[in-house]
Amino acid sequence: MLESIFSAMGVDYLQFRILLKNHIKLDFRSQKFKGTTRTNMKKYSFIMSLIFYLLPSVMIAGLGVQKSDLFGFTFITISLSMIFIVLSIIIEFNEIILNPEESEILTFRPISSRTYFWVKMANLFFYVTLIGFALNLPPAFLGLVFKETRWYFPIVYLFVCWFAQIAAASFVIILYSFLVRIFNQERLKDILAYVQVIFTFIIFIGYQFLVRLTAKIEGTIDLRATWNYFAPPAWYGSVVTAIYSPAPLDFSLLAGLAAAFTLLTLTFALRNLSLDYAQTVYKLTETSRQREKVANTTVKQKRLFTRIQSVFVSNSAQLVGYNLVSKYLRRSRTMRTRIFPSFAMPLVMIGLFIIDGEFKDPFLPGAGIGTFMPLLFLIWVAVFFYQIIPTSDDWKASWTYFVAPVEDFAQIQWGSMKAVVIKYITPYFVFVSLVLSVLMPVHHALLICLFNYFFFISYYIFMTFFLEYLPLSKKYERGQSNTRFMLMFILFPLFAIGGFGEYFVFQNPWFIPVGLLALILFGWLSAKFAGKRFDERIRRQEFLF
Amino acid sequence: MSATILVNNLTKRFNDHTAVDHISFEVPAGQICGYLGPNGAGKTTTVKMLTGMIKLNDGSAAIAGFDIHRNPLEVKKTIGYVPESGALYENLTPYEYLFMIGALYHLTGEHLENKIDEFLRIFKLSEVKNDRMNSFSKGMKQKIVISAALLHNPEVIFFDEPLNGLDANSAFLLKELIRNLAAQGKTIFYCSHILEVVEKICDRVIIINDGKIAADGSIDELQHLTRKSSLEDIFSQVTHSEDMAEIAEALSKVVTN
């Protein structure tokens, strides 16, 4: 039975089954699911992400139940789950689909393009189903609170949401594949990196918008509003609602859109995309020679540059970390894709708080906590660097660290952090101060950025206490970005504490020098102790004692 | 003998760089054809095109009568390939990996299980058949890669540096195996930098330089043509290598400086 269905789809059932089974097996056996034997702790990062997904879902569904009718509730909760699914695919799981890594193992085997494509899609749908389950479970049960729903609401809700998420996932994959088709491979790799960054911004703003919308909704969402027809979550929401209410024309039309969207995305993926899929992946495997532009600098300029650099980078081990990280941040597309979205988040948050009318000059008496919340996102950027700098596609080359006579491995780490701070963080804070100076006096903007700059550096140094790997020495594991993003949402209440701290300092400006001194002292002490601990940890890990 | 590998004006360009430039050759069934060239000459690109891993820009090629562009799946069913990278799914066990590869060629059941067991026994890997391969040595992994290439009894086999990581005994075993397979009528396409091995086992040698064929013939023919006695000298001559002794001297000065 199954074999004939697959055969009708142009998929080899035996190959499909064995490949899917092994891909899932491989995912569960990879490092991200393994406990670290060293500390004997089980760190299931993907399972943790699933738990993290439950929390915003409970929050949004709880608000929706209180403030809206059944349609509004389903619209809001399905929006959340679709946003998160799209976000996960953009950040992490697109690699399941567009990953040329296994080309040396599979592309010369007699696997048809369609079989290969559906293995990848089924692998993706497996994660979509797991993540979707975590996201949809709370609203599926909270929806029973509405008087028109019956006992089987959770089943109906989960079923419709699954289709919504599969359609959303297929849509993103179609979009990616479209880009692969129209651009040549080198250009494409750059474009994918930036598309990912742009998508992340849009989805992040979308999430913030959803939180605001949920807070503002009172009563019902107008079914006849034109925007419903442009919002896929409204289409799927209307399917759920239509089951429990007499179905007026609007519900039917919206539900029809849901059916059409699901059908179209799946049909397109099944027919067109799957046929050219192998070609799509091949394109990503082809690389051409890339020559770095050599800066046209004079000997004098070079000397000056070296002298300036030696002020900041004091020894050869630091220089190694500094040069490696500088070059990889400039050349590695994957690294840029994973880090650069963080730069936009503080600006997005400042923008959103300005729109809300809550962001003001923090030195003025009227400035509330809303002024300080987005500023704390500047510190969050450090979390991205902390998590991404130890990872690299070339992680296997890390053996070079351990055969070299390095006296203190922390020096390599300090060098890499200096590269981050000098080349990216300093210009970024200057830019932010320019943006802020549009809203407030220049010296206020500069002081805010200076304070947060030191806050960033001391926090970044402090995190070395928890660091386990040298720069670029660890394989990037799927699930890492999701965890980071989810942490960002979940730790939001903790930001309030930091917000109060900044509020106190800026409302009492004579505390600024004290605060700065405290941050410098904190950073210095952290460097002293964390550096020692980091060096010991690396030596123990690599049996270098 | 009919040609099992038929290559006609095969070309591959990466942007403005031509990696393989209109090459043509034929390899008959049962022949061991060595494919040599300096680093970056286009050897692996040729093999990747012939195994359907990358698309060609110009020309055509056929393996066992199937056009690589029009019938890629049929071509892939006929070939075995040992890639230079030796890539495999290291988080699987040898048994799981070989079982998966076998299933991809529609081998199933007892026949497949027995075949896997035989490969593992001969390569002395039976004891580790249920261990994950991420802890294996390079040589152990290479034996699995070789088994995976031969499991489905392919008609044409592409070897790209197959001796990578193998110990002396295993290397000897592989060389003997290649000879036996050729004697049974299999076509072997052998890419390597180890000229001594190529000289010993190959019936014919194609030398590629800058994407173009620089020499093609049996060792005897090439010796006669170039008036050189060893393959090493022939290789140096046709690839226009500089005087290696001079370069080595310069390099040693750099080291001691």
Side-chain angles (χ1 to χ4, degrees), chain B residues 84-123:
Chain B
E84 189 186 11
S85 68
L88 38 72
Y89 293 124
E90 295 188 6
N91 276 315
L92 293 182
T93 67
Y95 189 83
E96 287 169 339
Y97 180 70
L98 292 175
F99 193 88
M100 181 189 86
I101 298 296
L104 294 180
Y105 293 90
H106 288 259
L107 303 175
T108 46
E110 216 172 299
H111 171 62
L112 175 62
E113 287 167 19
N114 290 341
K115 214 163 179 183
I116 294 171
D117 283 338
E118 279 301 291
F119 270 110
L120 295 176
R121 188 183 60 76
I122 292 167
F123 279 126

Side-chain angles (χ1 to χ4, degrees), chain B residues 150-247:
Chain B
L150 303 175
L151 200 61
H152 59 289
N153 188 21
E155 211 173 309
V156 180
I157 308 158
F158 292 89
F159 288 100
D160 197 351
E161 297 293 358
L163 301 184
N164 268 351
L166 292 184
D167 58 54
N169 286 336
S170 305
F172 180 76
L173 171 68
L174 182 66
K175 283 183 267 181
E176 285 304 311
L177 175 68
I178 289 173
R179 282 199 193 100
N180 277 324
L181 291 171
Q184 287 165 27
K186 313 260 182 228
T187 308
I188 313 288
F189 197 77
Y190 191 97
C191 295
S192 181
H193 289 293
I194 310 170
L195 302 182
E196 293 85 354
V197 177
V198 173
E199 201 166 6
K200 268 186 195 162
I201 66 166
C202 292
D203 306 318
R204 171 194 172 191
V205 174
I206 298 173
I207 301 176
I208 181 173
N209 191 29
D210 283 335
K212 293 185 173 120
I213 290 179
D216 181 358
S218 66
I219 303 281
D220 287 344
E221 285 169 348
L222 294 180
Q223 279 170 339
H224 182 72
L225 206 69
T226 57
R227 294 181 187 177
K228 300 280 181 188
S229 57
S230 72
L231 184 58
E232 198 173 298
D233 291 334
I234 297 168
F235 185 83
S236 292
Q237 185 176 325
V238 300
T239 57
H240 316 294
S241 305
E242 296 159 73
D243 187 340
M244 291 301 157
E246 259 179 44
I247 297 174

Side-chain angles (χ1 to χ4, degrees), chain A residues 71-144:
Chain A
F71 177 64
F73 170 78
T74 51
F75 167 72
I76 289 161
T77 51
I78 293 176
S79 295
L80 178 85
S81 77
M82 286 178 91
I83 282 173
F84 273 110
I85 287 293
V86 171
L87 192 64
S88 327
I89 295 171
I90 289 167
I91 300 166
E92 300 276 5
F93 294 102
N94 67 78
E95 286 180 15
I96 290 179
I97 295 289
L98 294 177
N99 183 8
E101 259 182 24
E102 60 186 9
S103 65
E104 293 270 332
I105 305 172
L106 291 181
T107 43
F108 57 90
R109 313 275 178 204
I111 307 165
S112 73
S113 187
R114 283 198 161 145
T115 305
Y116 195 30
F117 175 76
W118 281 106
V119 169
K120 295 293 191 171
M121 284 298 264
N123 195 184
L124 179 72
F125 290 166
F126 172 76
Y127 289 108
V128 167
T129 307
L130 279 182
I131 295 169
F133 191 69
L135 281 167
N136 301 329
L137 205 60
F141 284 99
L142 279 171
L144 287 168

